[in-house]
Amino acid sequence: MVGFLGANGAGKTTTLKMLCGLIYPSSGQVLVAGHQPQRRHPDFLRRITLVMGQKQQLIWDLPPMDSLRVNAAVYGIPDRVASRRIAELSDLLELGEELTRPVRKLSLGQRMKAELLAALLHEPEVLFLDEPTLGLDVNAQLRVRQFLAEYNRRTGATILLTSHYMADITALCPRVLLIHQGQLFHDGPLDRLTSRLAPERHVRLELEQPAPAEAFNGLGHLDSLENCEVNLRVDPASLTRVLAQILERFEVRDLEVNDPPIDQLIGELFRQGSL
Amino acid sequence: MRIFGLNRRIVRALLGSQYAHMLEYRAEIALWALSGVLPFIMLSLWSGSDARSQLGLDGVALDRYFLSAFLVRQFSVVWMVYAFEEDALLGRLSPYLLQPLHPLWRYVASHLGEQLTRLPFAAGIAGVFFLIQPQAFWIPSLGGFLLAWIATWMAFAIAFLLQSLIASLCFWSEKATALERLLFLPFLFLSGLLAPLTAFPPAVQAWVRWTPFPYLIDFPARVLSGDPVDLAAGFAAQLAWVGLLLPLVLVLWRAGVRRYSAMGA
């Protein structure tokens, strides 16, 4: 599973549309599962799916089951196989009688789950998911996330996921792509992105006695000092040495070493607009 | 086996779902059927006019012509461009483009589902017409009915392709429905909805026969009402228009999809 990150307008959705063949590349070449997506060859279309947040393929006034029957016919899935897949996927997605109620009467979360079911009925090998949890409440987001992880485990499908919720990315994606101003800025594990964006570790101290700012000279960058609470940024290479010096110089009530939160880092990156 | 991406199972699934979908809108469709009574208004106008003798249709034949025009219109009305424009603007077209089935088939199925829903309302209106004008009652022969059914279906195919041509322009202009309104005017006057083609001077008739419009209402209505009509010429013209429009639609569609950027998504 690959997380695809970028600021608003960076080109995430455009890239997804290009990868699934909705947009023709103005230059260069795109290859997905051995196909040129823009040709939209039926063999290619049977191997991919695209789920775009609030955009829906289910027929609004009919129960999702009717749209599923149409999809089964269009993808040439035999009735028996389609019924088995619907049962399996609806079990994973915790969908039951919702499949027989008109789509317009379903909640946003139920609709999204039914959309996912419709998009996965043909068991695609490559999934393009554009904001699949957009607008869902926390519980529904969690369920969709768990479903995607399980689907990926069961089928081994490739999943390319964009999301505004970093929790989706951190929970699901061992590999992350970050595009910035039209360029690929990062391709690799999330923790490596964190260390690229914020090479320093955050050290939070709670002291027994207040100390002056000068007392922290040579211990890294002092971010804040408020009574007994201190926040420092420290180079990872000298972290052990700095921690030893802190424990030697001060009476420490509590100590924490953290990476800065990834969503905060990326948020700052996008706000600044430059790297 | 798939023909143009279709097989029997897809046809059954598409028609079943679209018929169920249209049944949800049956009240609205009943009103649409009712709003299609323009031929009856024209019948009453022509019946009281001295000019009716120029139409070449006597009293009963004129009644039957306009009833047939009403029925043909009911089962060849096309609203594809409006549905398509909305789908394109709201990004609903994207999932259709990513399925191994030409999206136009979905619109065809929607129309057929709507026609099926419209059937009892149209039959009811025809029944009321016969109650009011019992002398106009007739039952076409089986052969005549079949020919009229084919001619009506061909009229639907031409109208659908014409609108698909305009709908394909949605890929370039977001307001293709404005163009459709331009097409509606000649359709209204030249199709036979307001008056049979014989109401026009012979020179105009000859010119109009080179357009697709008389084959949308006048020709199928005459076949249904049993008027003497050149069947071979009529069907040949319908086939020619389908044969001309279909490749144009496919070419324009392909070019449009290349341009498409999934607006609204």
Side-chain angles (χ1 to χ4, degrees):
Chain A
M1 292 179 83
V2 181
F4 192 32
L5 301 174
N8 284 334
K12 299 187 297 291
T13 303
T14 304
T15 308
L16 283 193
K17 285 182 196 164
M18 209 177 292
L19 290 173
C20 65
L22 279 176
I23 296 182
Y24 279 60
S26 49
S27 65
Q29 199 187 17
V30 183
L31 269 184
V32 176
H35 288 268
Q36 285 185 304
Q38 69 270 25
R39 291 191 175 167
R40 293 210 306 282
H41 192 280
D43 287 343
F44 170 71
L45 298 180
R46 284 192 182 89
R47 294 172 71 179
I48 64 142
T49 200
L50 170 71
V51 176
M52 286 197 288
Q54 309 284 326
K55 302 290 175 291
Q56 53 180 10
Q57 61 162 307
L58 299 173
I59 302 172
W60 183 249
D61 296 298
L62 297 182
M65 197 54 101
D66 290 69
S67 299
L68 294 177
R69 277 193 206 105
V70 173
N71 278 15
V74 167
Y75 285 100
I77 307 165
D79 283 333
R80 198 169 39 80
V81 178
S83 301
R84 180 174 53 74
R85 283 186 195 165
I86 290 169
E88 280 172 10
L89 290 169
S90 55
D91 190 39
L92 274 176
L93 285 161
E94 298 176 10
L95 283 169
E97 60 164 22
E98 290 88 353
L99 291 181
T100 54
R101 275 168 33 203
V103 173
R104 65 168 186 273
K105 291 189 176 169
L106 301 181
S107 69
L108 184 61
Q110 291 166 336
R111 275 209 307 270
M112 193 60 227
K113 290 195 285 185
E115 286 287 341
L116 273 172
L117 205 167
L120 301 179
L121 189 61
H122 59 291
E123 281 196 348
E125 296 163 34
V126 187
L127 281 63
F128 299 105
L129 307 179
D130 192 17
E131 304 283 359
T133 54
L134 190 67
L136 303 188
D137 65 42
V138 178
N139 286 334
Q141 283 179 30
L142 184 66
R143 242 168 258 137
V144 167
R145 226 174 273 149
Q146 287 169 339
F147 167 76
L148 291 175
E150 180 60 19
Y151 183 85
N152 177 246
R153 193 188 63 75
R154 283 192 188 188
T155 63
T158 300
I159 300 178
L160 187 60
L161 169 80
T162 76
S163 179
H164 271 93
Y165 303 116
M166 277 310 294
D168 288 345
I169 306 290
T170 48
L172 294 171
C173 305
R175 181 180 168 196
V176 169
L177 303 175
L178 191 144
I179 53 169
H180 191 66
Q181 296 181 335
Q183 300 291 320
L184 182 64
F185 171 71
H186 174 80
D187 178 1
L190 191 61
D191 52 356
R192 283 234 306 272
L193 174 63
T194 313
S195 54
R196 273 186 80 180
L197 290 174
E200 293 163 319
R201 311 295 296 276
H202 281 199
V203 177
R204 197 186 70 81
L205 298 172
E206 210 178 313
L207 305 176
E208 289 289 353
Q209 301 288 331
E214 300 80 51
F216 298 93
N217 285 347
L219 296 178
H221 179 82
L222 183 65
D223 264 348
S224 67
L225 172 62
E226 210 169 297
N227 293 324
C228 296
E229 199 164 309
V230 186
N231 282 292
L232 292 165
R233 269 184 284 151
V234 181
D235 179 4
S238 55
L239 186 65
T240 324
R241 181 185 56 78
V242 167
L243 290 178
Q245 284 182 356
I246 286 171
L247 293 170
E248 201 181 291
R249 281 189 206 176
F250 309 101
E251 255 187 84
V252 177
R253 193 186 299 155
D254 194 15
L255 184 149
E256 275 178 37
V257 181
N258 292 312
D259 281 327
I262 181 71
D263 48 352
Q264 188 188 323
L265 286 176
I266 291 175
E268 276 171 20
L269 169 73
F270 293 159
R271 266 196 302 279
Q272 288 162 8
S274 61
L275 299 169
Chain B
M1 190 181 72
R2 290 193 176 206
I3 302 168
F4 290 112
L6 277 182
N7 60 26
R8 247 191 309 177
R9 186 169 168 227
I10 298 175
V11 170
R12 218 173 35 232
L14 276 180
L15 284 182
S17 65
Q18 289 303 331
Y19 180 52
H21 190 206
M22 290 301 162
L23 280 177
E24 293 288 317
Y25 291 92
R26 55 194 176 277
E28 202 176 329
I29 289 172
L31 288 175
W32 287 353
L34 206 59
S35 68
V37 296
L38 181 63
F40 299 135
I41 296 168
M42 295 317 297
L43 171 63
S44 63
L45 285 176
W46 281 109
S47 298
S49 161
D50 295 338
R52 64 179 294 180
S53 56
Q54 295 169 12
L55 301 179
L57 296 167
D58 65 28
V60 168
L62 194 64
D63 292 349
R64 288 178 182 170
Y65 172 82
F66 276 112
L67 175 67
S68 300
F70 165 77
L71 290 171
V72 168
R73 175 68 177 151
Q74 288 296 307
F75 297 102
S76 61
V77 69
V78 174
W79 34 267
M80 187 270 180
V81 70
Y82 299 96
F84 181 84
E85 185 181 274
E86 196 179 304
D87 287 348
L89 288 176
L90 297 178
R92 284 197 295 248
L93 191 60
S94 302
Y96 297 156
L97 284 169
L98 293 181
Q99 293 195 344
L101 178 73
H102 201 298
L104 284 178
W105 286 123
R106 291 183 184 271
Y107 296 99
V108 173
S110 298
H111 282 75
L112 296 180
E114 191 253 345
Q115 287 174 14
L116 216 55
T117 312
R118 196 184 271 259
L119 179 66
F121 304 118
I125 293 170
V128 171
F129 176 83
F130 286 132
L131 281 178
I132 297 167
Q133 305 270 48
Q135 74 283 358
F137 184 79
W138 90 108
I139 298 174
S141 66
L142 183 63
F145 178 78
L146 275 177
L147 287 173
W149 185 75
I150 294 168
T152 304
W153 204 87
M154 291 294 284
F156 165 70
I158 295 169
F160 186 87
L161 288 170
L162 274 172
Q163 277 209 8
S164 299
L165 207 60
I166 293 169
S168 299
L169 298 175
C170 281
F171 291 120
W172 286 271
S173 153
E174 292 174 15
K175 281 287 163 200
T177 46
L179 282 172
E180 199 278 334
R181 280 178 208 119
L182 278 180
L183 199 66
F184 184 70
L185 269 182
F187 164 77
L188 195 63
F189 286 98
L190 306 179
S191 68
L193 204 60
L194 298 183
L197 202 57
T198 44
F200 293 100
V204 179
Q205 280 184 50
W207 174 79
V208 170
R209 282 186 208 286
W210 287 98
T211 73
F213 302 111
Y215 308 103
L216 297 177
I217 300 286
D218 185 274
F219 171 66
R222 282 178 187 274
V223 176
L224 181 62
S225 62
D227 276 347
V229 63
D230 188 343
L231 285 173
F235 281 117
Q238 284 191 319
L239 269 175
W241 278 108
V242 169
L244 180 74
L245 290 170
L246 182 62
L248 274 179
V249 168
L250 293 178
V251 166
L252 201 62
W253 176 274
R254 200 170 302 164
V257 167
R258 278 184 74 99
R259 221 191 111 82
Y260 182 57
S261 59
M263 293 165 277

